[in-house]
Amino acid sequence: PVLGRILRQPAHVGDNLLGPLTNPAGAHVQVVGVFAPGWVEPVARVLAQLGSRGAFVVHGAGGLDEFSNAGVNRAAQVDGGAVRNLAVDPADYGLPAAPPGSLAGGDAVVNAALGVEVLKGARGPRRDAVLLNAAARADGSWPFSAMANVRRGMTSDPPRTYPDVESSAPSV
């Protein structure tokens, strides 16, 4: 009966809430994005009760389900069973604010090309969003002190070759 009620919920409930909580891989460290700010702390508390060693649960500025450079993000950190609520402002780490639309992508080919641009060192809101999310390590730590290393690593020696995104993109 419980599973039947769960399956009747809107898709975003299953994808964003139940997926990470019922992951058969048994992940004990993770970053989970949620679709509404009211779910940040409850999901973090459930992850803590399920034995997560370290996790972040986030509702990003601009309505995103990841850390966003559009403004202050609501997050909860799970660390050794304890849950701590956070307000993460990218400006505190030297990242300029950007409107959510500046992060928009497209189909698989467009998104792959945008990702390659970031990996090649293109500066701008997409790169800043990648930096912000990379800083929220899945082990539940918050290594913003390492952000400079991430910045250098993205531009100092970019890969020489990239996958052929057009031939590997799924046909629709």
Side-chain angles (χ1 to χ4, degrees), residues 61-88:
L64 300 179
D65 63 352
E66 61 186 54
F67 287 100
S68 165
N69 50 344
V72 178
N73 299 273
R74 182 165 178 205
Q77 179 182 21
V78 178
D79 185 11
V83 174
R84 184 174 71 142
N85 289 306
L86 305 168
V88 179

Side-chain angles (χ1 to χ4, degrees), residues 2 8 12 20 22 28 31 38 43-44 56 60 68-69 94 98-99 106 113 117 126 131 141 148 151 153 172:
V2 171
R8 288 190 297 268
H12 64 268
T22 60
H28 293 287
V31 178
V43 170
F56 280 108
S68 165
N69 50 344
E117 285 179 19
R126 289 185 180 95
L131 288 170
S141 63
R151 283 188 185 120
V172 286

Side-chain angles (χ1 to χ4, degrees), residues 29-136:
V29 292
Q30 57 189 313
V31 178
V32 177
V34 294
F35 60 90
W39 285 105
V40 171
E41 186 175 351
V43 170
R45 294 207 178 281
V46 170
L47 287 171
Q49 291 174 359
L50 290 173
S52 287
R53 291 191 310 269
F56 280 108
V57 180
V58 62
H59 178 74
L64 300 179
D65 63 352
E66 61 186 54
F67 287 100
S68 165
N69 50 344
V72 178
N73 299 273
R74 182 165 178 205
Q77 179 182 21
V78 178
D79 185 11
V83 174
R84 184 174 71 142
N85 289 306
L86 305 168
V88 179
D89 187 344
D92 291 343
Y93 306 100
L95 297 175
S102 65
L103 303 178
D107 63 17
V109 172
V110 169
N111 290 343
L114 293 171
V116 168
E117 285 179 19
V118 168
L119 290 172
K120 286 184 173 180
R123 296 185 181 276
R126 289 185 180 95
R127 177 179 178 259
D128 293 343
V130 169
L131 288 170
L132 187 62
N133 281 280

